[in-house]
Amino acid sequence: MTTDPTSKTTFRPGTQNDSSALAILIDIAGEGIPSALWRGMKEPEQSVLEFGRFRARREEGEFSYRNAVMAEVDGEVAAALVGFQLDDPYDMGNLDEVPDFIRPLVLLEAKAPGSWYVNILACFAEFRRRGLGEALLAIAEERAREASAPALSVIVGSWNENAARLYARAGYAEAAREKAPSPEGDDRGEWILMVKPLR
């Protein structure tokens, strides 16, 4: 981990003004899945990231700025956490209507009902290896305890070994796996549900 002793890191709640940065960080953390979804939902005159920004600006919804914690380094957005408590019982809805590349994620989320879900944890490349991920996971745990959640949960790709190591160091352990088809239909590995019990 590299740190600059002269830099100042702060953590704060997300605001609507963070929506552009959030759209990018959401897509980074989601391995391109968010932009694939947004491509099919946007208006013809919108770019994919414009639509992601619109989604992040909403007052409601999982990807709302209201569910975000922003990390800033010297006043510049460097990383973000987006999380919330999963419903218990978890309603999978009609899985036949869910895109094939999303279905495995829904199945894994359903295995951690009531947990505080780390939906997004992402950092811009130039700010990595500064401990921001660890600090944001500590904030996630504070939020989970405030919500009296029984556990924290996160889903990580089997190919993302650095992220898996980060979660393991923070006390998360593998709970389940599902195949991870890409939006294009390619098989790229597995999604891994990792859980950290709090009780």
Side-chain angles (χ1 to χ4, degrees):
M1 180 169 52
T2 60
T3 56
D4 179 352
T6 64
S7 67
K8 180 182 178 187
T9 302
T10 56
F11 300 91
R12 60 169 177 78
T15 70
Q16 281 191 331
N17 291 337
D18 295 315
S19 299
S20 295
L22 271 173
I24 297 168
L25 288 164
I26 287 166
D27 198 48
I28 290 169
E31 308 267 0
I33 285 178
S35 58
L37 282 175
W38 298 340
R39 192 171 293 113
M41 300 165 72
K42 71 180 187 67
E43 297 296 328
E45 67 275 7
Q46 285 180 307
S47 76
V48 169
L49 286 177
E50 278 180 305
F51 186 76
R53 178 180 178 273
F54 163 75
R55 300 274 290 182
R57 287 180 61 81
R58 297 177 307 158
E59 297 294 321
E60 70 289 328
E62 295 173 351
F63 292 133
S64 168
Y65 73 92
R66 289 183 170 273
N67 291 327
V69 176
M70 311 303 294
E72 289 185 337
V73 175
D74 295 331
E76 184 178 355
V77 171
L81 162 75
V82 178
F84 45 86
Q85 191 166 11
L86 294 175
D87 291 336
D88 186 9
Y90 185 91
D91 182 6
M92 289 193 289
N94 186 350
L95 278 179
D96 292 336
E97 296 177 2
V98 176
D100 290 344
F101 61 94
I102 298 294
R103 194 171 298 128
L105 299 171
V106 174
L107 292 170
L108 289 174
E109 287 177 12
K111 293 179 186 290
S115 65
W116 203 91
Y117 183 43
V118 178
N119 188 227
I120 299 296
L121 183 67
C123 184
F124 288 119
E126 64 269 29
F127 296 107
R128 290 177 189 154
R129 303 188 62 78
R130 295 179 183 224
L132 297 178
E134 290 91 342
L136 287 167
L137 285 178
I139 292 171
E141 185 164 339
E142 288 174 18
R143 297 281 172 92
R145 291 186 185 281
E146 288 167 5
S148 298
L152 290 122
S153 61
V154 68
I155 297 172
V156 64
S158 60
W159 55 91
N160 194 342
E161 294 175 2
N162 288 339
R165 280 195 294 270
L166 168 67
Y167 298 126
R169 283 197 309 271
Y172 293 71
E174 181 177 333
R177 289 181 178 236
E178 291 283 342
K179 289 287 187 187
S182 73
E184 296 77 30
D186 303 325
D187 181 5
R188 57 181 175 175
E190 294 177 303
W191 290 118
I192 304 169
L193 171 68
M194 300 183 75
V195 174
K196 179 178 183 176
L198 294 179
R199 294 180 185 162

